Structure formats: structure tokens, C-alpha cells
């Protein structure tokens, strides 16, 4: 119950000593039930007005208070827990967090044992993450010992635990859509790893999405301005026709994909997308359709319009600076066989050379095809 309020609703408190920032508080209350605590409402950081919190609840350690006030001991004030409700932050404000943490550690007057987050909204420029809840435990020195973070819908959870100067990481997700492009929806995702010397290493990643099974590993330099990352993957039984339309892959190809390879990328904080992506992978697609190109029709009548069904398509894929190279291509169907290579530029211009063969009883057709033009309007050159 609210039994005392230190100022009226229209009054404002300002405080800046603890985190070296000017903080505006609209009202302060003392609550005794169900658990005594101090309640601060409608907080803002003066120099970062996008950072707001609806409520901040401060739960003191009462044994510590007794020592401070009755035994007159010069010990720090012990805060059993800080509960922040309705915290809102923008991406550009994340840099303040480390500054506040450092400033807080320099304070010898306070000791915080636990921080609780409820309904936290983090806006990453054009991407708004789902509301997040979390809890962090700190030791007497103010260092994080254990933390958990989960979405309000409980479809994503991250746990971190301090061990010998490092942090063990455990990630679990179910029916969860990744917030970054191309926003795949994972039926299930599990990952384990460690943060050591500002490098996150997820040594075990397993997941399933679009009918496929994913395994792999990822290493990310958290101290890098672009979160420079690299890793490897193995994807099996991935159904291309079910993939997100954002990729536009299903507008070019359908089938069941198996692929294994290596990758590296950076992160574009302004656009919330990956950049400088490099990929080298071998792939096989079974029982699919190559859209926009009818190889058999091109061989017979020099007309590309249509599509090509196949039982098996294999090759190697290389991606560098938004330029795709497909080499060692081999397409097979009941009568049609084709091989060659294809390049796709960043502006979706295609250049392809194919050697094709149609084996018909008592007859055989062979042709060398050169195909160029934009992806949506391909032309047969010869």
C-alpha cells in the first residue's frame, strides 16, 4: 500500500551522483505492503530522453539497514533488488549502459544484489524487439555472476553464468522469429557457448526451420564495431518453397536443399542487417523446379520462357560483396542434363553459360546456352 509520498504529482526529483547522469523522477512513494520498498515513477535520463522507465522499485536489505542506523557501522547500503518496469531504450543509448555500470562500480556507498527487468522495450532502429523480461545477480564487487533474459511470450530465453572470468551462454527458442533480416522462423533453436575476452563462441548450434535441420558454430567479436563473425553450418532437408518471401529464393527455385559450408559477416547497426557477407558452400537440391528458365525449350526453339523441373541439382555457391557465383553446376532430370556456371551481381544482373543435353530414344539434342540480363527478364544470347 502507498502510505507516504515525498512530493506531489507535479513535483520533480533530480539525482545524478550514482551513475553520473541527471535523472528526472516525477514522483517518489514508500510502500509497506506486500513488501516494503521505495517506488520511483516515470524516470527519464536528461541527456538521453529516449531512455525512460515507468517504475523503479528499490528493495533494501533490512539487516544491513539496522547495522547502518542502529549499530552505526560504516558499511555500504545493501539493495536486495532493483526492479525496473517498463524500461524503454533505443539502439543509440546502449553505449550508456557500460558507462553506467563502470560508474556504479566506482561507488562504495551502495551494493546491489539483484536487478530485475520487466516489460523492457529495446528499439533497434527499424526493428522493435518483443518485450523482454530479465534478472541479473551481482556479487559484492558489483560484477555480474548470473543473468537470464526472455521474451514476454517466453519463445526465447538466454542464460549467462560467470565462471573463472568467462560467461557460459545457453540459448533456447521455440517457434521464434529472428528479429534481423531475413527473419527466419525457428521451430526450435538451441545454442551453447562461452564469452571469453569479449569474444562470443557458440560451439554448438542446433535448430529446425522450414522443415530443415541446422547444425553449426559461430564466433563473434563483441568488441568489434561490426560484431565481426564467422562460422560453419550444415543444413539438411530445407524446404525452399516454405522459405521467407524476404529472400525471394522461392521465386527462383523450389525443392529440398542440403548444404554445408563456411561463412563470415559483419553487422550494420544502422539498418539492423548483416553486411560484408562471405559464403562458400556446396549444395544439393532434390525434386525441384528452376523458375524463369526452360532449358529444354531454349534448346529447341531458343525461347527461355517457362521453367525446368529436375530430380537433382548440385553445385558450389560463393557469395562475396553481394555477388553470387555458382560453379560446377549439374542439373539432372529423366531426359535432360545440363552443366555450367552462373553469376549474379548485386543489382541482380545474371550471366550464365550452360552445356545441355536431351537424351531422347533414337535422338539426342546438344546445345551450349548463354543467358544474360536482369533476373526478372532473362534473355538467351545464342
Amino acid at each position: 500500500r502507498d502510505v507516504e509520498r515525498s512530493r506531489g504529482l507535479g513535483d520533480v526529483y533530480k539525482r545524478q551522483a550514482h551513475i553520473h547522469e541527471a535523472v528526472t523522477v516525477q514522483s517518489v512513494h514508500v510502500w509497506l505492503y506486500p513488501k516494503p520498498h521505495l517506488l520511483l515513477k516515470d524516470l527519464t535520463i536528461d541527456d538521453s530522453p529516449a531512455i525512460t522507465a515507468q517504475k523503479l522499485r528499490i528493495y533494501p536489505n533490512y539487516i544491513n539497514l539496522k547495522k547502518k542506523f542502529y549499530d552505526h557501522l560504516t558499511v555500504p547500503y545493501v539493495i536486495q533488488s532493483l526492479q525496473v518496469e517498463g524500461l524503454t531504450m533505443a539502439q543509440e543509448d546502449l553505449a550508456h549502459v557500460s558507462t553506467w555500470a563502470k560508474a556504479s562500480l566506482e561507488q562504495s556507498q551502495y551494493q546491489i544484489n539483484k536487478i530485475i527487468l520487466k516489460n523492457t522495450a529495446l528499439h533497434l532502429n527499424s526493428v522493435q524487439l518483443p518485450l523482454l523480461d530479465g534478472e541479473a545477480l551481482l556479487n559484492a564487487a558489483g560484477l555480474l555472476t548470473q543473468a537470464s533474459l526472455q521474451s514476454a511470450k517466453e519463445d526465447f530465453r538466454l542464460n549467462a553464468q560467470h565462471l573463472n572470468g568467462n560467461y557460459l551462454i545457453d540459448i533456447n527458442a521455440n517457434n521464434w522469429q529472428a528479429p534481423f533480416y531475413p527473419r527466419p522462423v525457428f521451430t526450435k533453436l538451441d545454442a551453447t557457448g562461452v564469452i571469453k575476452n569479449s569474444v562470443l563462441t557458440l560451439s554448438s548450434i542446433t535448430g529446425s526451420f522450414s522443415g530443415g535441420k541446422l547444425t553449426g558454430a559461430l564466433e563473434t567479436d563483441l568488441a568489434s564495431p561490426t560484431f565481426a563473425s564467422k562460422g560453419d553450418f550444415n543444413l539438411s532437408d530445407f524446404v525452399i518453397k516454405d522459405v521467407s518471401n524476404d529472400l525471394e529464393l522461392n521465386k527462383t527455385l523450389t525443392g529440398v536443399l542440403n548444404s554445408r559450408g563456411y561463412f563470415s559477416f559483419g553487422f550494420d547497426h544502422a539498418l539492423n542487417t548483416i553486411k560484408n557477407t562471405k559464403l562458400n558452400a556446396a549444395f544439393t537440391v532434390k525434386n525441384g523446379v528452376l523458375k524463369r528458365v526452360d532449358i529444354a525449350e531454349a534448346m529447341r526453339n531458343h525461347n527461355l520462357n517457362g521453367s525446368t523441373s529436375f530430380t537433382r541439382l548440385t553445385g558450389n555457391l560463393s557469395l562475396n560483396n553481394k555477388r553470387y557465383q555458382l560453379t560446377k553446376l549439374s542439373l539432372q532430370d529423366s531426359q535432360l542434363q545440363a552443366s555450367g556456371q552462373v553469376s549474379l551481381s548485386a543489382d541482380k544482373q545474371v550471366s550464365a553459360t550452360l552445356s545441355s543435353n536431351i537424351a531422347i530414344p533414337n535422338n539426342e539434342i546438344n546445345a551450349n546456352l548463354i543467358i544474360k540480363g536482369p533476373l526478372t527478364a532473362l534473355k538467351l544470347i545464342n
Side-chain angles (χ1 to χ4, degrees), residues 44-53 87-90 92-93 121 123:
T44 58
I45 307 295
D46 289 7
D47 292 336
S48 304
I51 304 176
T52 63
L87 174 65
T88 299
M89 294 185 68
E92 58 268 23
D93 297 316
H123 303 277

Side-chain angles (χ1 to χ4, degrees), residues 74-331:
T74 57
V75 294
Y77 287 102
V78 176
I79 298 173
Q80 194 65 32
S81 64
L82 284 180
Q83 181 170 303
V84 187
E85 302 173 20
L87 174 65
T88 299
M89 294 185 68
Q91 179 170 313
E92 58 268 23
D93 297 316
L94 293 178
H96 292 288
V97 175
S98 60
T99 303
W100 298 341
K102 182 178 179 181
S104 181
L105 287 175
E106 293 173 352
Q107 297 290 328
S108 59
Q109 298 177 327
Y110 304 93
Q111 176 185 324
I112 302 173
N113 292 340
K114 180 189 292 187
I115 298 175
I116 300 170
L117 299 175
K118 289 191 174 183
N119 295 325
T120 300
L122 181 59
H123 303 277
L124 302 181
N125 294 333
S126 60
V127 176
Q128 181 176 349
L129 298 177
L131 292 177
L132 300 171
D133 298 331
E135 183 176 296
L137 302 180
L138 294 83
N139 62 15
L143 296 176
L144 180 70
T145 60
Q146 187 173 333
S148 64
L149 190 67
Q150 68 178 31
S151 63
K153 297 190 299 182
E154 298 186 357
D155 56 357
F156 177 87
R157 179 184 292 274
L158 183 150
N159 294 315
Q161 184 172 355
H162 183 268
L163 181 64
N164 299 326
N166 306 317
Y167 287 95
L168 302 181
I169 302 297
D170 186 37
I171 298 172
N172 306 104
N174 292 283
N175 299 318
W176 172 72
Q177 183 172 31
F180 306 113
Y181 179 86
R183 297 174 59 82
V185 178
F186 287 91
T187 306
K188 185 172 180 59
L189 178 67
D190 297 293
T192 58
V194 63
I195 297 178
K196 181 178 182 180
N197 297 327
S198 298
V199 175
L200 167 64
T201 302
L202 296 177
S203 55
S204 174
I205 301 173
T206 60
S208 58
F209 67 109
S210 192
K213 304 296 182 182
L214 172 70
T215 61
L218 173 69
E219 180 181 295
T220 299
D221 184 356
L222 300 177
S224 166
T226 61
F227 292 165
S229 304
K230 61 182 180 180
D232 60 80
F233 71 94
N234 185 7
L235 181 64
S236 61
D237 299 325
F238 179 84
V239 182
I240 296 176
K241 69 180 181 65
D242 293 337
V243 75
S244 167
N245 286 327
D246 291 341
L247 284 176
E248 296 188 355
L249 181 61
N250 55 0
K251 297 179 181 180
T252 305
L253 186 71
T254 65
V256 179
L257 171 67
N258 292 275
S259 182
R260 178 192 296 268
Y262 303 89
F263 61 85
S264 65
F265 63 88
F267 186 72
D268 189 322
H269 296 279
L271 300 176
N272 295 301
T273 59
I274 60 176
K275 65 177 184 179
N276 300 327
T277 305
K278 295 183 179 180
L279 173 68
N280 287 284
F283 66 88
T284 299
V285 184
K286 297 180 179 179
N287 302 321
V289 176
L290 178 63
K291 300 181 180 181
R292 298 190 173 117
V293 174
D294 187 335
I295 296 177
E297 183 67 14
M299 294 172 62
R300 297 188 189 101
N301 301 313
H302 300 281
N303 180 12
L304 279 178
N305 294 335
S307 60
T308 302
S309 299
F310 59 84
T311 55
R312 183 179 178 88
L313 173 65
T314 63
N316 293 329
L317 169 64
S318 174
L319 169 61
N320 191 357
N321 292 327
K322 298 184 179 180
R323 180 180 175 86
Y324 293 83
Q325 292 281 349
L326 294 98
T327 58
K328 298 183 179 179
L329 290 174
S330 176
L331 181 147

